[in-house]
């Protein structure tokens, strides 16, 4: 009975993805705010859920609907994963899943994969009527995590390798902090105390990228990130939610414009660290004895 109920819930979730993908000409999953909304709330409804992550240098927010890069990665992986599970049990829905998954993948590789003077990268989002939000952000590192050798990845192996290279360029990577939420080249990059998703460092994001790189077999890259992302945890001596670091001064705790501080003890930071330490299997004893 439990398996039956789980399958029913999963089927409804997959149906939601298929129906939402069908609303977009590229097959992307998008979000918008209800025009009848009478209260505040998050204007960005994805992982980097703050106004600053999509606002431009003048603090102007783009038009809806918004197709965020990591939403496409996660949706594609859900379709790929459950298509392989359901294709023998229920071929008809499986065919719809595959069709949606293929269109999403083709559009993603055509539109989101970009290239600058450094290397290939994944653009942040498309907003309004296909307006490109062309920024290099840490979000693109989720591409390694949302995929596996059995079900595949949303893009090919050579592109994954190139994106890994881009994430370790010095405009977004620090060997003392890990991968930043946003490249220093972005128009609204900020590294003050109140930087949230436009220059801050999130241990949870780094852990997911680390685990993904390891999963893809990019071991040298994952080990480099592992060493970098543990340093701020050791500095703060706690599983901090987020922090800021600009390579010239000390680590800074996050303080919002209204004076609120981030969590010092964040559950998903703990989970990411434990998974990373277990995966790396390196200096585990020394690390735990010194935190």
């Amino acid at each position: 009975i439990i398996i039956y109920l789980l399958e029913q819930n999963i089927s409804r979730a997959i149906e939601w993805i298929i129906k939402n993908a069908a609303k977009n000409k590229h097959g992307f999953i998008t979000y918008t705010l209800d025009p009848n909304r009478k209260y505040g709330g998050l204007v960005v409804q994805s992982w980097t859920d703050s106004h600053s992550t999509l606002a431009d240098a003048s603090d102007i927010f783009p038009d809806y609907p918004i197709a965020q890069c990591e939403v496409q990665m996660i949706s594609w992986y859900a379709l790929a994963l459950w298509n392989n599970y359901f294709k023998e049990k229920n071929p008809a829905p499986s065919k719809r899943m595959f069709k949606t998954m293929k269109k999403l993948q083709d559009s993603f590789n055509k539109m989101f994969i970009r290239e600058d003077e450094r290397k290939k990268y994944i653009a942040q989002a498309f907003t309004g009527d296909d307006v490109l939000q062309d920024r290099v952000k840490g979000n693109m590192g989720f591409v390694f995590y949302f995929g596996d050798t059995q079900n595949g990845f949303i893009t090919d192996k050579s592109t994954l390798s190139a994106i890994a290279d881009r994430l370790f360029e010095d405009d977004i990577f620090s060997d003392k902090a890990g991968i930043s939420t946003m490249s220093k080249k972005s128009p609204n990059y900020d590294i003050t105390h109140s930087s949230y998703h436009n220059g801050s460092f999130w241990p949870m994001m780094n852990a997911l990228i680390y685990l993904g790189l390891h999963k893809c077999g990019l071991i040298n890259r994952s080990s480099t990130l592992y060493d970098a992302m543990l340093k701020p945890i050791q500095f703060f001596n706690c599983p901090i939610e987020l922090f800021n670091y600009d390579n010239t001064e000390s680590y800074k705790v996050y303080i919002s414009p209204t004076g609120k501080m981030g969590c010092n003890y964040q559950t998903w930071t703990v989970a990411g660290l434990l998974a990373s330490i277990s995966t790396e299997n390196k200096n585990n004893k020394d690390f735990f004895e010194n935190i």
Side-chain angles (χ1 to χ4, degrees):
I1 293 176
I2 293 174
I3 292 175
Y4 171 77
L5 292 173
L6 284 172
E7 286 182 348
Q8 293 301 303
N9 286 331
I10 290 164
S11 295
R12 283 192 284 270
I14 293 297
E15 186 65 23
W16 182 92
I17 293 175
I18 291 172
K19 286 183 177 179
N20 276 271
K23 295 176 183 177
N24 182 270
K25 62 184 177 183
H26 306 296
F28 293 145
I29 309 301
T30 65
Y31 62 84
T32 190
L33 298 186
D34 187 333
N36 298 317
R37 188 172 180 165
K38 298 188 183 344
Y39 52 88
L42 299 173
V43 293
V44 177
Q45 298 184 352
S46 57
W47 136 242
T48 48
D49 57 353
S50 63
H51 179 277
S52 59
T53 195
L54 275 169
D56 64 15
S58 301
D59 205 36
I60 297 173
F61 196 79
D63 294 332
Y64 295 102
I66 296 171
Q68 198 92 15
C69 69
E70 69 270 20
V71 175
Q72 315 317 312
M73 301 168 192
I74 297 168
S75 299
W76 179 88
Y77 186 42
L79 291 168
L81 188 68
W82 293 107
N83 176 60
N84 284 336
Y85 178 83
F86 282 114
K87 64 184 177 184
E88 293 183 2
K89 291 188 171 189
N90 203 340
S94 178
K95 289 179 181 178
R96 294 178 64 230
M97 273 188 244
F98 181 80
K99 183 179 178 181
T100 303
M101 177 182 72
K102 186 70 169 60
K103 183 175 182 179
L104 173 56
Q105 184 174 31
D106 290 346
S107 295
F108 183 88
N109 281 277
K110 180 180 178 182
M111 296 175 65
F112 273 93
I113 305 297
R114 321 295 292 187
E115 192 164 0
D116 61 13
E117 71 280 2
R118 294 171 181 250
K119 294 203 170 52
K120 283 185 179 178
Y121 63 96
I122 300 173
Q124 181 185 10
F126 281 89
T127 61
D129 189 15
D130 289 347
V131 176
L132 174 66
Q133 301 299 318
D134 194 13
R135 300 169 194 164
V136 175
K137 296 205 67 183
N139 305 39
M140 66 179 172
F142 291 158
V143 72
F144 309 109
Y145 186 80
F146 292 104
D148 59 59
T149 53
Q150 180 179 349
N151 298 288
F153 294 85
I154 196 169
T155 192
D156 60 80
K157 188 174 181 179
S158 64
T159 301
L160 288 173
S161 181
I163 290 165
D165 290 343
R166 183 65 186 86
L167 279 169
F168 286 84
E169 292 285 313
D170 60 9
D171 64 315
I172 194 166
F173 174 75
S174 165
D175 63 2
K176 293 181 175 62
I179 295 169
S180 173
T181 49
M182 182 179 283
S183 164
K184 296 174 184 176
K185 304 288 185 180
S186 299
N188 63 333
Y189 172 80
D190 179 20
I191 200 56
T192 63
H193 280 286
S194 59
S195 173
Y196 196 60
H197 287 126
N198 55 334
S200 57
F201 291 83
W202 288 68
M204 183 278 289
M205 183 190 80
N206 276 268
L208 285 186
I209 297 173
Y210 162 80
L211 292 167
L213 288 167
H214 200 280
K215 192 193 305 188
C216 287
L218 298 166
I219 305 302
N220 289 338
R221 289 298 192 192
S222 64
S223 291
T224 299
L225 178 56
Y226 178 86
D227 290 339
M229 72 188 204
L230 289 191
K231 290 175 183 175
I233 301 299
Q234 291 170 321
F235 174 85
F236 288 109
N237 199 34
C238 64
I240 196 166
E241 178 186 10
L242 76 158
F243 61 93
N244 290 294
Y245 182 74
D246 64 3
N247 283 333
T248 60
E249 299 178 17
S250 181
Y251 302 97
K252 304 184 186 81
V253 296
Y254 169 75
I255 304 174
S256 76
T258 59
K260 294 181 180 179
M261 296 181 66
C263 296
N264 283 341
Y265 296 87
Q266 177 65 260
T267 302
W268 65 7
T269 298
V270 173
L273 282 172
L274 291 176
S276 300
I277 293 166
S278 175
T279 301
E280 185 72 6
N281 193 27
K282 184 176 76 173
N283 298 326
N284 291 2
K285 183 179 178 182
D286 290 343
F287 176 80
F288 282 113
E289 285 180 348
N290 288 284
I291 191 167

